[in-house]
Structure formats: structure tokens, C-alpha cells
Amino acid sequence: MSNRHPLKVGLTGGIGSGKSAAASLFAALGVDVVDSDVVARQVVEPGEAALDEIALRFGPEILLASGELNRRALREIIFNDPEQKRWLEALLHPLIRARTVQALDSSSSAYVILVSPLLFESGQDALVDTVVVVDVDEAHQLDRTSARDEVDARQVRSIMATQLAAEARRARADYLIDNRGDLGALESQVASLHRKLLALAQMREKGAE
Ligand code: ADP
């Protein structure tokens, strides 16, 4: 009997480490990529039950004229009120988890990647079989993030403070990508990791037969 579900690979790293860049390179090799940030937005799209519950609790002011969630207003509420934050997390986390599992399980590529900035912090590492960490030094993180987002070093540092320290993340990696080099160096590491992950996926298929 063959294994119904593909090998699931978590891909994480600090802000500006190059997760998205690495994920695009895997995608270009034909690997399905599920993005945890995208899933988190999908569960509160108009038409989703969760958005109705949020509007019931916080009033229609929490919606934009388009009917979409006013994320900034919601962020402000939960930033100032831990109880509301807990309520929101209790609502959204199980939905995000279920949708992530569904997206991963419905992939038909040789293996599937879950890219998440907070893979360990959110416990989503439990949803994957193996973990790739994209690693860079802090100077690169600051430079690349501020070039991408027009934020300053202080803002990047405050986001970094909500994320696991690089060393703790590295310690939990099954595979490491060193992204201190140029994009060519990233691409060749992704290509070599892709071969390893294909082999792992194949071994797993055989084991399940
Ligand atoms: P993350 O998704 O981890 O926050 P990104 O993949 O968006 O990080 O990378 C941050 C920025 O740095 C992006 O603009 C990206 O194009 C750039 N970048 C990523 N890796 C490299 C690299 N090896 N060399 C140069 N620029 C890079």
C-alpha cells in the first residue's frame, strides 16, 4: 500500500533570512508550497464563518467598507487586551491548523513545503516530518529586510524579538541553508537539498509499501 500523504517539510527562519526566496526556488523545482501567512489570511476572508464571529464580537467597525477584515484595527484591539487576544487565538488557531493540514495533505508533489516564520513558536513543526532552517547573520537580516520593506533596524529588531533566537532555531533544524552568500549560493543549496528531500520522500514511500 502506498503512503497517501506526501512528505511534509517545514521551512522557517528569522525575518529577512530568505525563507520566501528559498520557497520560490523550491516552487520553481515543482514542489508545492503552503504559506502559513496566506492560510492565516484565508480563514478570515469574507464568507468565512470566523469573520462573522469576529464582526459579532467587535462590531461592524472591525470590517472595512469592502467587507474585509480591518487587520490594523483588530491588531490594535488585541495588542491592548490579552483576553481578546486569547479569544481570537482560540477561534483562529484550530481553523488555521485544520486548513494547513488539508492544504499539505492535498498536495500531489513529491514532497510539500510549509513555509512559516513562526514554525516552532506556533507549534506548526508538529505538522511536518522534517524541518529546514534558513540561517543568516543578524547584519544580513537587517540589511535585506530594510531594503525589502522600507523599515528601519529598530523595527526589524522588534520583530526579531518576537521570534526564536537564531541559535535555538538552528538547534532544531534537520537541514540548514546558509544564506549569507549571494542568490546563486542559495539556489545551489536549494537544488542539493531538493535531491536529498526527493530521496527521503522516496524512501518513505517504499517504507509504506
Ligand atoms: P523572509 O521571507 O525570510 O523574510 P526573503 O526571502 O523575503 O526573507 O528575503 C529578504 C530579502 O532579501 C528579499 O528582498 C530577498 O529577495 C533578499 N534575499 C534573500 N536571499 C538573498 C541572497 N542570498 N542574496 C541577496 N538577497 C537576498
Side-chain angles (χ1 to χ4, degrees):
M1 199 182 79
S2 81
N3 200 314
R4 282 186 304 124
H5 299 314
L7 177 76
K8 296 166 197 154
V9 179
L11 177 66
T12 190
I15 181 169
S17 60
K19 290 177 297 297
S20 309
S24 307
L25 292 166
F26 280 108
L29 294 170
V31 180
D32 286 343
V33 175
V34 176
D35 183 325
S36 68
D37 289 338
V38 172
V39 175
R41 284 196 294 271
Q42 283 172 343
V43 299
V44 291
E45 272 170 7
E48 295 289 333
L51 185 59
D52 298 340
E53 291 211 34
I54 290 170
L56 268 178
R57 187 170 180 100
F58 299 108
E61 313 84 75
I62 205 72
L63 301 178
L64 299 166
S66 62
E68 286 170 308
L69 180 62
N70 185 341
R71 293 168 185 288
R72 180 180 298 195
L74 186 61
R75 257 201 310 273
E76 251 163 57
I77 294 174
I78 63 167
F79 185 77
N80 293 306
D81 191 336
E83 192 175 330
Q84 302 289 24
K85 183 170 186 227
R86 275 195 297 276
W87 178 86
L88 189 69
E89 285 175 348
L91 172 71
L92 296 184
H93 283 182
L95 297 173
I96 293 170
R97 186 187 171 94
R99 198 174 285 229
T100 302
V101 168
Q102 189 188 29
L104 292 172
D105 283 345
S106 64
S107 161
S108 55
S109 55
Y111 63 94
V112 55
I113 287 183
L114 172 62
V115 55
S116 170
L118 300 172
L119 187 79
F120 296 122
E121 295 88 333
S122 68
Q124 289 197 322
D125 57 321
L127 304 181
V128 297
D129 303 301
T130 191
V131 174
V132 177
V133 168
V134 185
D135 193 35
V136 280
D137 53 298
E138 194 175 307
H140 274 102
Q141 253 182 305
L142 293 172
D143 279 359
R144 288 177 183 163
T145 307
S146 39
R148 184 192 60 189
D149 296 342
E150 289 181 11
V151 291
D152 60 27
R154 194 184 52 83
Q155 286 166 297
V156 182
R157 282 213 177 83
S158 80
I159 294 170
M160 285 167 66
T162 68
Q163 302 184 335
L164 213 59
E167 206 162 286
R169 200 182 289 111
R170 269 198 298 276
R172 296 176 69 172
D174 297 302
Y175 301 94
L176 268 179
I177 292 178
D178 176 352
N179 195 22
R180 288 172 298 179
D182 61 14
L183 285 170
L186 177 62
E187 190 170 357
S188 65
Q189 289 179 81
V190 167
S192 105
L193 194 50
H194 178 59
R195 285 190 292 275
K196 287 185 195 162
L197 292 169
L198 281 178
L200 190 63
Q202 239 166 30
M203 248 166 54
R204 195 165 158 279
E205 277 278 325
K206 287 223 177 75
E209 268 169 10

